[in-house]
Amino acid sequence: MASQQTTLILLPGLDGTGLVFEPLLKHLPATIEPVVVGYPGDEPMTFPEHIDFVKARLPKDKPFVLLAESFSGPIALQLLAEPPANLVGVVFVATFERYPKPFLLDLARLLPQGPLLRLFATSLLCRFFCLGSADREAVALFQKALASVKLSALSQRLKILAELPPPPETNYNNPCLYLQASHDRLVPERAAARLQRHLPQTQLVQIRGPHIILLARPEDGARVISNFIDNLSERRCTS
């Protein structure tokens, strides 16, 4: 009998495009049906509007796994206040309850953001903060993602990170995975521990690499995610 597909809803990082998931999607097995939810790049949205935007795009009639990268982690946590009954697992990727380095946000918001964004998009700085020794194709894809989003939308997302509310209480008990980048210069290791205190059923798996780990190490990311989803499927079959 053919294996049943599991729907994987992917929520992107700060750029909001979902373009950086492209290499990962190529390595996911046929048993996973990926659906990327990209945020509008031409208009600023508030934090509640991001949450509502995602809610409206979640499957209503089939089980699914939610993956939340970086910026989207707090959005996923808000969704768990009243988790959908068909949400069978959550994957958090290099993310946080509250942004753990507020001085970086303060710096980004105080400096002129147009020149700052252009500087950040240079190969040198995006490698230092986000991609490490990833190949040139990964750097080019990240730069393409940033260039496709209006500065006003990115600025609003920085403001959201600076003003994040505490995560809500939740009775969500299904398995969660925290995929941690070992050389993350934007999100320190303590962010995972804080999230695990909120969701103690969260398993931690570390992959050697930089902050945008699913772009820098797509094969490793696909393997960890696939194993997590396989284990979920086995759990559901035996329960």
Side-chain angles (χ1 to χ4, degrees):
M1 182 182 294
S3 299
Q4 185 176 3
Q5 271 196 324
T6 298
T7 300
L8 175 65
I9 305 296
L10 299 102
L11 307 182
L14 189 71
D15 65 276
T17 65
L19 288 175
V20 298
F21 290 136
E22 288 180 359
L24 171 76
L25 302 186
K26 294 175 183 177
H27 294 288
L28 291 175
T31 52
I32 296 176
E33 177 193 10
V35 178
V36 176
V37 176
Y39 306 125
D42 57 354
E43 59 181 282
M45 295 199 306
T46 65
F47 188 48
E49 285 171 341
H50 279 84
I51 296 166
D52 291 342
F53 186 86
V54 172
K55 275 185 181 179
R57 287 156 180 79
L58 298 179
K60 303 292 191 298
D61 57 352
K62 57 184 176 181
F64 71 96
V65 174
L66 186 65
L67 183 150
E69 180 188 52
S70 192
F71 169 81
S72 288
I75 295 171
L77 287 170
Q78 292 293 325
L79 293 172
L80 294 185
E82 297 179 6
N86 55 333
L87 176 61
V88 298
V90 183
V91 180
F92 297 99
V93 182
T95 189
F96 39 83
E97 289 182 342
R98 289 192 173 185
Y99 193 69
K101 291 186 176 182
F103 71 93
L104 284 180
L105 288 178
D106 292 340
L107 183 64
R109 293 176 67 195
L110 288 172
L111 295 175
Q113 292 189 355
L116 183 64
L117 179 62
R118 289 192 291 273
L119 180 62
F120 184 77
T122 62
S123 296
L124 180 63
L125 283 188
C126 78
R127 281 191 181 281
F128 180 81
F129 285 108
C130 297
L131 286 170
S133 60
D135 59 34
R136 285 181 293 179
E137 288 77 11
V139 174
L141 188 57
F142 178 60
Q143 291 170 328
K144 178 183 177 182
L146 284 179
S148 68
V149 184
K150 283 191 174 180
L151 181 60
S152 58
L154 289 172
S155 298
Q156 176 65 18
R157 289 177 197 147
L158 289 174
K159 181 180 178 184
I160 287 171
L161 291 183
E163 300 173 356
L164 282 173
E169 294 297 322
T170 178
N171 61 357
Y172 186 72
N173 295 312
N174 285 342
C176 299
L177 169 69
Y178 187 102
L179 204 164
Q180 184 179 69
S182 65
H183 291 72
D184 196 328
R185 287 193 166 105
L186 293 177
V187 178
E189 289 187 3
R190 66 179 183 275
R194 290 177 179 174
L195 194 144
Q196 283 177 307
R197 286 199 291 269
H198 187 67
L199 293 166
Q201 74 273 31
T202 302
Q203 172 194 8
L204 175 66
V205 174
Q206 189 178 88
I207 294 178
R208 185 175 180 83
H211 176 65
I212 309 183
I213 192 67
L214 296 182
L215 175 57
R217 303 286 184 268
E219 290 186 64
D220 293 337
R223 173 180 49 79
V224 173
I225 293 165
S226 299
N227 289 342
F228 176 71
I229 291 177
D230 286 345
N231 290 336
L232 286 177
S233 299
E234 292 175 8
R235 182 174 180 265
R236 286 162 55 206
C237 289
T238 58
S239 61

